[in-house]
Amino acid sequence: MKRWTNSRGLTVLVAVCGLAISFLAAAQAHDHTRGGSRIAFNGSRAYQYAQDIVDCGPRWIGSPGHVCAENFLKKQFAKDNLEEDTFTANTPAGAMTMHNFIVKFPGKKPGIIVLASHYETNYPLRDIHYVGANDGASTSGLLIEMASVLRGRLLDGDSVWLVFFDGEEAIQQWSSADSLYGSRHLAAKWDRDGTLKRIQAFLLVDMIGDKDLDIARDQNSTPWLLDLVDQAAKQEGDSSYFFATTNAIEDDHLPFVQRGVPCADLIDYDYGPHSFMLPDGYHHTAQDTMDKISAHSLTVVGQTVLETIHLLNQK
Ligand SMILES: [Zn+2]
């Protein structure tokens, strides 16, 4: 769950999750039209990966589904030197062992572009068979498919690192102390070892599988990086899906924002029809299932992320 504040100053609670990035070979002829000489992002395969993760069932920390999702990630990146970042988090439910996963695709430039998401589901919802198709699975699928664009060659620009966060969700109730466990841990670790200084951009994706895609402009993100995403979306012909509304999201980018890393959180918190029974729509409900998300939305975001990376490498 994430807290967001809309442009009218109303604070509400919404859930958030997921993310992905990729890299476009600068050596390739650049064509701003989809289907040209560009590398195309395959949203259908990303959707299938999301399905595979949802098939693991609920993925709250400590559940068999969480182990299943971790094993699925390990299998997908078996040939990529997937790094496991294990740590112990102090939570309202006691000490919990959590696992971030990082896979690095090296580039010719010294900088790093991070594309991140989270893969676990909400712990307080562990009794309602909450599978988080949009909130966690969609963006994990996006990252897995992004790897197919990145692997197998030295990238012409910055390195691209994919990060799968654990412990994004609150264990009891969302607060600065009870949320973002994986990202807080990794940001502190990378601060200590100097990695943060190399990060040119941190792109976070969360809840962007929604069939009715409308990504808000997050006021906690870095304006120039959001402008670059906006430019990328325009060039892809997909600007109608981006930034028609504004809000302020608390998500896995915050520990990096607070340390001065340029960040963009791409999130569509407006998920499903809102009603008296479901004031937050499908968010954090048993209705967050695969039929609510689409390969098309994953294609739109994947392609825009690829173009954003391309633009970052031209800076
Ligand atoms: Zn959530």
Side-chain angles (χ1 to χ4, degrees), residues 104-150:
K104 302 174 179 177
F105 297 100
K108 294 174 182 172
K109 290 183 175 178
I112 300 162
I113 298 170
V114 174
L115 177 60
S117 172
H118 78 97
Y119 68 93
E120 101 285 10
T121 54
N122 190 296
Y123 187 82
L125 302 179
R126 62 194 178 282
D127 295 327
I128 67 162
H129 197 76
Y130 169 72
V131 296
N134 193 26
D135 194 355
S138 70
T139 46
S140 298
L142 182 76
L143 262 65
I144 292 169
E145 175 55 22
M146 200 59 83
S148 73
V149 181
L150 302 171

Side-chain angles (χ1 to χ4, degrees), residues 34-251:
R34 189 168 293 167
S37 59
R38 300 277 316 278
I39 295 171
F41 183 81
N42 191 325
S44 296
R45 283 208 298 257
Y47 183 93
Q48 183 56 53
Y49 290 131
Q51 178 74 68
D52 292 336
I53 293 167
V54 162
D55 287 345
C56 283
R59 304 179 298 284
W60 45 274
I61 294 166
S63 69
H66 191 264
V67 174
C68 171
E70 291 182 334
N71 288 337
F72 183 72
L73 289 177
K74 291 173 185 174
K75 185 178 170 190
Q76 297 307 315
F77 295 103
K79 298 177 180 174
D80 295 307
N81 192 26
L82 183 71
E83 294 180 17
E84 187 168 341
D85 174 35
T86 300
F87 62 100
T88 302
N90 293 316
T91 81
M96 286 187 176
T97 302
M98 301 187 185
H99 312 271
N100 295 326
F101 292 92
I102 303 147
V103 59
K104 302 174 179 177
F105 297 100
K108 294 174 182 172
K109 290 183 175 178
I112 300 162
I113 298 170
V114 174
L115 177 60
S117 172
H118 78 97
Y119 68 93
E120 101 285 10
T121 54
N122 190 296
Y123 187 82
L125 302 179
R126 62 194 178 282
D127 295 327
I128 67 162
H129 197 76
Y130 169 72
V131 296
N134 193 26
D135 194 355
S138 70
T139 46
S140 298
L142 182 76
L143 262 65
I144 292 169
E145 175 55 22
M146 200 59 83
S148 73
V149 181
L150 302 171
R151 66 166 58 91
R153 68 182 192 283
L154 185 65
L155 302 174
D156 285 311
D158 289 324
S159 297
V160 178
W161 293 5
L162 305 180
V163 176
F164 297 84
F165 286 123
D166 202 358
E168 182 267 354
E169 303 280 7
I171 297 300
Q172 188 175 81
Q173 184 171 9
W174 186 272
S175 71
S176 58
D178 184 16
S179 64
L180 311 179
Y181 292 98
S183 52
R184 285 191 286 134
H185 163 79
L186 192 61
K189 179 179 170 179
W190 281 355
D191 200 352
R192 289 192 300 271
D193 71 12
T195 299
L196 285 192
K197 293 187 181 71
R198 293 176 55 205
I199 299 178
Q200 307 301 304
F202 179 100
L203 304 176
L204 182 65
V205 287
D206 204 351
M207 297 178 65
I208 46 65
D210 185 2
K211 276 181 175 174
D212 179 19
L213 186 65
D214 54 334
I215 296 170
R217 186 176 169 99
D218 168 42
Q219 292 178 312
N220 289 334
S221 294
T222 307
W224 72 256
L225 187 53
L226 291 177
D227 290 345
L228 207 65
V229 172
D230 198 29
Q231 181 184 340
K234 282 190 173 69
Q235 290 176 187
E236 293 295 326
D238 288 329
S239 59
S240 63
Y241 300 105
F242 288 82
F243 304 157
T245 58
T246 300
N247 59 25
I249 295 284
E250 296 180 11
D251 205 346

